[in-house]
């Protein structure tokens, strides 16, 4: 197997021509990721968990405590701290932890994963397959959505994918087992420090099953395996031991199992089993449509024979997919760490489809995909024109600047020309250019129309938060009554100390002056919902026991409903002549 893989190096990277080909492809793929992810990195207001991760990074920098994640000064144990570490490092490099610093680790991780896929596939497959796998991952629908946000998924996905693909690359290249296991387990440890046990479970499960199927006991049970495990344990212990000493056993356990445990259950399992595969395919559009080529008998029969590295890829998918398919609460993003493996399969299928015999199902599918890309390109230009001609609110929100309009038109023209050339022959160069042009069109449309549409639905709270902060004489003294929405806390740019929601006048802190709290559509005068992450929620009385005046309020998620709708209210305590808070 190792000799076969070594002999099949498609690009001839040791020759000058091969090195130039690699350099050109890496440059084009890097440019694609830059346009899609880096160019408008700060345009969206903070979304989802971005405020929590970014504010946690600020707390680490300000306190000097890089071990314990805190929210409002309270220990927040939902996962290990790698995401906060990466954001903090980006913030130190930029001089501040702003929204760009919060998102920078994610977009760098997308770039790293894209180039990793190209280099991995180039080791075993054709230049077309390598380019397709890399471009497909960068423009998977869900990767474009999540990969630009300052959350855990993108970096976690890179660490998990790198642990698997680089381990297999080392295995196939004839490395010493100890080197391969050290590399794989080290990357799995970084993944575990990002989001928990999913990383080592996926790495160990995939590699062990792969070696069992090959009957390779020497690799599976040799000293390299145990040395790698030791390195993994030491990497985790370097953070876990001081964390446990600082917070105790329960917080340590919660970091590893609380979030995952909340998703495990049998409620709605049948519906999940039926719907989750369709959701996965939707998250990988449009490239997941290439999986239809597996219906072609000729494609199936020659796939593993011609591309032996796919045995490892298919093993990884078969071992890991049940972990999300059989968990009723699993979201599609939980499988993002294995999207790179799907991209490898997509690249191999596209390469075979483009060279399939005329008249075969695979050949017809390839020509249909090329026509669909050309039609989409024309549709993008038409949508661009309509956005400037129609005066409706959705159309106005999708209008583009001259620069981005020009990029849309350029990508559309390149897609139409490249797909037409690819339909007229079987040149792998023409097919590769069609893939790159299509990926560029997808990415640019997402970065323009989709991004502007999303931004139009969300009011950026940062200007209003800044104005309210200016009304507080000592902004660093603002206190939250219970947990406050982390996007507000991040935009406020000062530590907001958290105190419990007071049920009686005696429970009001003596130094309380300016305060803030969350309100939701479901709150009533009798009961109010509060949460510190999905696994830590409770209710409080809906009314404060003292008189107060409202300074202002900030709608964080005005388009959401129920528990997801959050408005932060800022108020000031009313005090009597004796300086004590006045009761209601």
């Amino acid at each position: 197997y190792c000799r076969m893989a070594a002999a099949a190096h498609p690009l001839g990277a040791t020759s000058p021509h091969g090195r130039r080909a690699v350099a050109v492809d890496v440059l084009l793929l890097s440019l694609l990721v830059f346009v899609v992810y880096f160019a408008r990195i700060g345009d969206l207001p903070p979304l989802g968990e971005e405020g929590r991760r970014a504010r946690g990074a600020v707390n680490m920098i300000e306190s000097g405590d890089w071990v314990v994640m805190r929210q409002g000064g309270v220990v927040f144990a939902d996962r290990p701290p790698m995401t906060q570490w990466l954001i903090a490092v980006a913030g130190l490099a930029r001089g501040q932890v702003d929204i760009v610093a919060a998102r920078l680790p994610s977009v760098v991780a997308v770039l790293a994963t894209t180039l990793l896929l190209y280099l991995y596939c180039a080791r075993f497959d054709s230049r077309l397959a390598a380019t397709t796998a890399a471009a497909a991952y960068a423009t998977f629908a869900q990767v474009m959505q999540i990969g630009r946000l300052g959350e855990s998924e993108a970096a976690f996905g890179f660490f998990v994918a790198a642990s698997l693909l680089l381990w297999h690359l080392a295995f196939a290249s004839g490395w010493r087992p100890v080197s391969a296991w050290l590399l794989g387990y080290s990357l799995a440890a970084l993944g575990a420090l990002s989001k928990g046990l999913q990383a080592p479970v996926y790495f160990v499960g995939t590699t062990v099953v792969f070696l069992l199927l090959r009957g390779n006991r020497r690799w599976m049970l040799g000293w390299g395996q145990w040395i790698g495990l030791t390195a993994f344990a030491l990497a985790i212990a370097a953070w876990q031991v001081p964390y446990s000493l600082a917070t105790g056993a329960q917080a340590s356990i919660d970091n590893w199992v609380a979030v995952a445990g909340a998703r495990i259950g049998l409620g709605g399992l049948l519906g999940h089993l039926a719907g989750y595969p369709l959701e996965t395919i939707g998250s990988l559009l449009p490239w997941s449509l290439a999986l239809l080529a597996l219906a072609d008998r000729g494609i199936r029969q020659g796939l593993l024979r011609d591309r032996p590295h796919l045995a490892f890829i298919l093993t990884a998918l078969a071992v890991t997919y049940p972990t999300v398919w059989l968990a009723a609460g699993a979201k599609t993003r939980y499988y993002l760490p294995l999207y790179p493996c799907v991209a490898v399969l997509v690249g191999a299928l596209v390469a075979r489809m483009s060279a399939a015999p005329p008249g075969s199902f695979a050949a017809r599918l390839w020509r249909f995909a090329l026509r669909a890309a050309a039609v989409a390109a024309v549709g993008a230009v038409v949508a661009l024109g309509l956005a400037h001609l129609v005066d409706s609110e959705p159309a106005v929100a999708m209008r583009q600047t001259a620069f981005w309009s020009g990029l849309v038109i350029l990508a559309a023209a390149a897609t139409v020309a490249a797909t037409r050339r690819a339909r007229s022959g079987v040149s792998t160069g023409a097919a590769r250019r069609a893939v790159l042009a299509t990926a560029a069109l997808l990415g640019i449309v997402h970065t323009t129309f989709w991004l502007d549409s999303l931004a139009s639905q969300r009011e950026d709270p940062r200007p209003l938060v800044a104005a309210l902060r200016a009304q507080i004489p000592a902004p660093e003294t603002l206190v939250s009554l219970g947990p406050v929405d982390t996007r507000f806390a991040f935009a406020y740019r000062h530590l907001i100390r958290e105190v419990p929601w007071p049920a009686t006048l005696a429970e009001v802190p003596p130094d309380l002056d300016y305060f803030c709290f969350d309100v939701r559509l479901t709150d009533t005068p009798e009961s109010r919902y509060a949460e510190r992450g999905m696994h830590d929620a409770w209710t409080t009385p809906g009314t404060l026991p003292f008189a107060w005046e409202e300074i202002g309020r900030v709608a964080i998620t005005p388009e959401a409903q129920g528990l997801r709708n959050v408005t932060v209210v800022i108020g000031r305590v009313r005090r009597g002549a004796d300086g004590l808070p006045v009761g209601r």
Side-chain angles (χ1 to χ4, degrees):
Y1 178 90
C2 293
R3 287 194 298 271
M4 183 186 303
H9 199 300
L11 301 186
T14 58
S15 68
H17 175 73
R19 289 194 293 270
R20 284 195 297 271
V22 170
V24 169
D25 291 344
V26 167
L27 178 61
L28 291 175
L29 291 167
S30 300
L31 182 61
L32 171 67
V33 174
F34 178 83
V35 171
V36 177
Y37 294 90
F38 285 87
R40 300 186 64 184
I41 187 173
D43 283 13
L44 283 177
L47 305 175
E49 291 284 297
E50 287 189 296
R52 191 187 310 280
R53 305 302 162 198
R55 186 62 223 178
V58 173
N59 292 343
M60 288 180 172
I61 294 173
E62 292 179 345
S63 68
D65 182 357
W66 289 64
V67 174
V68 181
M69 167 72 169
R70 288 182 171 85
Q71 179 180 322
V74 178
V75 174
F76 180 67
D78 79 327
R79 65 188 57 172
M82 178 60 73
T83 302
Q84 287 74 239
W85 289 347
L86 294 175
I87 293 174
V89 170
L92 290 173
R94 281 183 54 80
Q96 61 174 334
V97 179
D98 56 4
I99 197 62
V100 174
R103 292 169 176 168
L104 198 57
S106 291
V107 296
V108 170
V110 171
L111 175 61
T113 308
T114 299
L115 299 183
L116 168 67
L117 279 168
Y118 176 82
L119 297 174
Y120 174 82
C121 292
R123 177 64 175 79
F124 302 108
D125 213 325
S126 66
R127 187 180 177 190
L128 171 59
T131 302
T132 301
Y137 177 80
T139 53
F140 279 149
Q142 192 166 57
V143 174
M144 288 193 291
Q145 177 186 356
I146 295 178
R148 66 175 67 252
L149 301 181
E151 298 194 11
S152 305
E153 275 76 12
F156 176 63
F158 168 73
F159 291 134
V160 174
S163 70
L164 292 169
L165 299 183
L166 292 180
W167 178 90
H168 180 242
L169 188 60
F171 173 84
S173 301
W175 284 27
R176 294 175 58 196
V178 64
S179 300
W181 286 116
L182 276 173
L183 177 61
Y185 272 113
S186 297
L187 288 163
L190 296 178
L193 289 171
S194 298
K195 209 175 177 184
L197 296 175
Q198 189 179 5
V201 168
Y202 280 8
F203 175 71
V204 174
T206 298
T207 54
V208 168
V209 171
F210 176 72
L211 293 173
L212 282 173
L213 292 174
R214 295 180 55 84
N216 196 325
R217 295 172 58 87
R218 183 178 66 87
W219 265 74
M220 187 172 64
L221 300 176
W223 281 107
Q225 171 83 267
W226 306 112
I227 293 174
L229 270 170
T230 302
F232 174 87
L234 290 174
I236 299 300
W239 166 75
Q240 184 64 67
V241 171
Y243 183 89
S244 297
L245 293 174
T247 64
Q250 187 57 53
S252 298
I253 295 172
D254 287 345
N255 269 321
W256 296 104
V257 302
V259 175
R263 296 296 188 186
I264 297 175
L266 297 178
L269 180 58
L270 290 180
H272 181 78
L273 290 174
Y276 194 81
L278 297 177
E279 294 175 7
T280 304
I281 291 172
S283 299
L284 299 171
L285 285 173
W287 303 98
S288 54
L289 297 179
L291 300 178
L292 293 173
L294 292 171
D296 189 299
R297 184 179 179 183
I299 294 288
R300 292 196 311 273
Q301 288 179 336
L303 200 60
L304 293 180
R305 181 187 66 243
D306 299 338
R307 273 83 173 175
H309 67 292
L310 293 182
F312 179 79
I313 297 299
L314 293 175
T315 299
L317 296 175
V319 168
T320 58
Y321 197 72
T323 65
V324 290
W325 193 19
L326 300 177
K331 307 297 184 183
T332 51
R333 68 177 183 270
Y334 295 174
Y335 202 59
L336 188 143
L338 269 292
Y339 285 3
C341 290
V342 179
V344 173
L345 180 58
V346 166
L349 290 172
V350 167
R352 289 184 63 82
M353 287 163 55
S354 67
S360 65
F361 173 75
R364 293 197 302 272
L365 182 61
W366 171 244
R367 293 181 67 82
F368 171 80
L370 293 174
R371 290 193 185 97
V375 170
V378 174
V381 175
V382 171
L384 182 68
L386 290 176
H388 286 273
L389 294 174
V390 178
D391 287 332
S392 67
E393 186 174 336
V396 171
M398 296 176 67
R399 290 177 182 174
Q400 304 300 315
T401 65
F403 173 79
W404 286 105
S405 296
L407 277 186
V408 171
I409 294 171
L410 182 62
T415 299
V416 170
T419 53
R420 183 177 180 181
R421 288 287 300 273
R423 289 199 306 271
S424 65
V426 294
S427 165
T428 58
R432 189 179 68 255
R433 288 188 287 273
V435 166
L436 283 171
T438 302
L441 176 68
L442 289 169
I444 292 171
V445 166
H446 188 275
T447 305
T448 52
F449 297 148
W450 181 87
L451 205 64
D452 288 338
S453 176
L454 182 61
S456 69
Q457 300 171 26
R458 297 176 180 269
E459 184 177 352
D460 190 346
R462 288 172 290 183
L464 182 54
V465 172
L468 288 169
R469 185 178 64 238
Q471 298 181 43
I472 300 176
E476 68 277 2
T477 63
L478 183 67
V479 172
S480 71
L481 303 180
V484 69
D485 187 273
T486 54
R487 287 160 291 190
F488 173 85
F490 174 53
Y492 190 74
R493 305 197 68 79
H494 288 282
L495 175 63
I496 302 175
R497 182 171 58 90
E498 178 186 331
V499 299
W501 181 276
T504 65
L505 200 60
E507 295 176 2
V508 178
D511 60 343
L512 184 66
D513 191 10
Y514 287 88
F515 61 90
C516 61
F517 60 90
D518 293 347
V519 294
R520 293 170 172 80
L521 293 180
T522 55
D523 291 344
T524 67
E526 293 75 30
S527 178
R528 171 183 165 275
Y529 178 86
E531 69 170 1
R532 186 181 293 106
M534 58 172 290
H535 62 281
D536 189 10
W538 63 93
T539 59
T540 71
T543 304
L544 289 169
F546 56 85
W548 58 283
E549 59 179 318
E550 182 175 316
I551 303 299
R553 57 178 58 208
V554 180
I556 303 298
T557 53
E559 81 293 344
Q561 299 295 319
L563 295 178
R564 294 178 56 208
N565 180 288
V566 179
T567 297
V568 177
V569 176
I570 299 91
R572 183 181 185 183
V573 178
R574 286 183 177 175
R575 297 181 181 274
D578 56 2
L580 297 176
V582 177
R584 295 189 61 83

